[in-house]
Amino acid sequence: MTTSVLITGTSSGIGRATALRLARHPELTVYATARRSETLTDLADAGARILPWT
């Protein structure tokens, strides 16, 4: 069973660090969102699923 985690404010700071750290765990599905979507590329590369800000 996987656990889903939604993290907001992942463009910088604690939100970003938390998303990067949790994305390394295969048992977690990490959903990340931020107002500056251009900053989310490396989070997607790390395995996080990106939710666009609209």
Side-chain angles (χ1 to χ4, degrees):
M1 181 174 154
T2 62
T3 300
S4 296
V5 180
L6 171 64
I7 305 171
T8 62
T10 60
S11 60
S12 64
I14 292 171
R16 179 175 200 71
T18 302
L20 284 169
R21 186 170 202 167
L22 293 179
R24 290 189 226 137
H25 296 275
E27 69 276 8
L28 298 176
T29 301
V30 178
Y31 294 93
T33 187
R35 283 185 263 176
R36 297 181 308 185
S37 60
E38 67 275 3
T39 63
L40 300 176
T41 305
D42 60 333
L43 289 175
D45 293 341
R49 297 184 182 183
I50 305 304
L51 300 175
W53 180 270
T54 56

